[in-house]
Amino acid sequence: MSSAIASTRFSVLDRSRTREGHPVGEALRDTVRLAQEAEALGYHRFWVSEHHGVPGVAGSAPTVLAAAVASATHTIRVGTGGVMLPNHQPLIVAEQFGVLESLFPGRMDMGLGRSVGFTDGVRRALGRDKGDAEDFAAQIQELLGWFRGTSPTGVRARPAEGLAVPPFVLAMGEGADIAARAGLPMVIGDLRNRERMRRGIDHYRAHFEPSPWADEPYVVISGTIAVAATPEAARRLLVPEAWAMAHSRTHGTFPPLAPADRVEGLTMTAKERDFYEGGLAGHIAGTEEQVAHELETVLKETGAQEVLVTTSTYDREALLDSYRGLARIIEA
């Protein structure tokens, strides 16, 4: 194993992807089971996501799901990747994480994003619009103030005040600058656009200002990693998500995952095919030896301290096998 892999933490983000022919709630139970497996395999964190009104994702309440995951595990850190802060009042988010940290002390992470919904309809239902994301930096400071007891309102966040739940910024677009100026750890993706990712990391490190939450920059790179016995089998793991992305780009809705066999038998339009092929490209996928080599390269390029693996596929057993293969690479 390379020194780069040996010195890097590896964690899991599961988006609770729904699957054709399976009940929506099953995706949430699958997430909890995967967290138990990830803990047994030695992964550092397990995070869950927030999506609203998306047919392909069951995870709409990340702090609720994080509580279920933490209850079903014992040692792995648990958190959100992330809570979309513009959708919520910072006080409510602080209270939720205060409860989580009180129930599961020393295990919770607070990953924060700035998305305000997948469609105009979702944003209207949430009572938000795209402009709310422009206040993300101020919302972060308000949220952190509740933990430190510095709110100018005179209100105290119970039981959050005085607790230290590590915050992370999900950096998309200007997120790297926001993370740097707030002095917070940064999660940046995805692996398909390495040059853009490196630019974001360089900007973050160059502009980082130490804070009570972090003395120095901390970089988590995120993306899909698929490990299988052959390169062809690894590529098939990518097929369901690639088609879901292509469908969302051409039809405006993000669907449940379809089996790889069905996707490969589809007759696609030229536009669908273009998005689909693009969705298959750029990920880290292959045999254990191939993935180890690619990981070594990207870790040396980025200097990241942690990798957050975000792989989704229809075949849950194949997904678990992929995480087992990656764990063997880490432990080798």
Side-chain angles (χ1 to χ4, degrees), residues 6-264:
S7 60
T8 303
R9 291 168 166 166
F10 284 80
S11 300
V12 176
L13 166 64
D14 191 65
R15 292 191 172 91
S16 304
R17 294 288 276 111
T18 61
R19 296 184 291 160
E20 284 187 1
H22 293 260
V24 172
E26 185 178 311
L28 300 172
R29 297 188 289 275
D30 285 342
T31 291
V32 175
R33 283 192 289 268
L34 182 60
Q36 294 171 320
E37 296 282 0
E39 179 176 75
L41 290 169
Y43 286 93
H44 182 62
R45 313 178 201 275
F46 189 94
W47 282 6
V48 297
S49 64
E50 174 181 341
H51 295 271
H52 300 283
V54 179
V57 182
S60 55
T63 53
V64 177
L65 185 53
V69 168
S71 294
T73 54
H74 303 283
T75 57
I76 195 169
R77 296 195 65 85
V78 177
T80 55
V83 163
M84 296 302 148
L85 195 50
N87 291 339
H88 310 280
Q89 289 295 334
L91 170 60
I92 302 300
V93 176
E95 290 173 337
Q96 290 173 344
F97 278 98
V99 170
L100 287 169
E101 178 64 19
S102 298
L103 291 170
F104 310 101
R107 291 181 59 202
M108 302 310 301
D109 297 322
M110 187 167 58
L112 306 167
R114 66 192 295 267
S115 172
V116 287
F118 191 66
T119 65
D120 289 338
V122 169
R123 289 189 285 272
R124 285 195 300 272
L126 291 169
R128 299 292 189 268
D129 58 45
K130 290 182 178 180
D132 288 302
E134 302 307 314
D135 298 326
F136 184 48
Q139 292 160 352
I140 288 175
Q141 292 307 317
E142 181 182 345
L143 172 60
L144 299 181
W146 289 116
F147 287 93
R148 304 193 72 204
T150 58
S151 171
T153 64
V155 176
R156 317 298 283 273
R158 313 286 189 191
E161 187 174 316
L163 298 180
V165 183
F168 295 74
V169 173
L170 276 60
M172 303 300 290
E174 66 183 78
D177 189 64
I178 291 171
R181 299 196 183 282
L184 300 179
M186 176 183 71
V187 183
I188 188 167
D190 62 33
L191 293 169
R192 290 180 298 172
N193 193 333
R194 306 282 177 86
E195 183 56 39
R196 182 185 179 195
M197 187 170 68
R198 283 195 298 269
R199 287 198 305 268
I201 291 170
D202 290 345
H203 181 93
Y204 169 70
R205 290 193 174 118
H207 295 87
F208 184 86
E209 300 175 12
S211 75
W213 301 92
D215 294 329
E216 57 189 25
Y218 188 87
V219 174
V220 184
I221 57 174
S222 68
T224 294
I225 301 174
V227 185
T230 66
E232 294 76 20
R235 183 184 183 278
R236 282 176 60 81
L237 284 171
L238 306 176
V239 165
E241 188 73 26
W243 169 245
M245 291 298 297
H247 188 278
S248 72
R249 296 286 183 86
T250 53
H251 295 81
T253 183
F254 196 65
L257 293 173
D261 287 344
R262 190 176 82 75
V263 173
E264 290 174 335

Side-chain angles (χ1 to χ4, degrees), residues 241-327:
E241 188 73 26
W243 169 245
M245 291 298 297
H247 188 278
S248 72
R249 296 286 183 86
T250 53
H251 295 81
T253 183
F254 196 65
L257 293 173
D261 287 344
R262 190 176 82 75
V263 173
E264 290 174 335
L266 290 173
T267 300
M268 301 183 192
T269 67
K271 190 174 183 181
E272 287 172 339
R273 176 67 62 180
D274 188 50
F275 281 124
Y276 171 67
E277 294 294 343
L280 291 171
H283 306 289
I284 296 179
T287 64
E288 289 180 28
E289 182 179 354
Q290 290 170 325
V291 168
H293 176 76
E294 188 67 22
L295 271 175
E296 184 175 354
T297 299
V298 73
L299 289 171
K300 288 179 177 177
E301 286 177 353
T302 62
Q305 287 101 324
E306 188 168 341
V307 177
L308 182 66
V309 186
T310 64
T311 310
S312 296
T313 195
Y314 180 89
D315 185 335
R316 297 296 296 189
E317 189 57 36
L319 178 65
L320 180 54
D321 282 343
S322 178
Y323 277 115
R324 288 174 181 144
L326 180 57

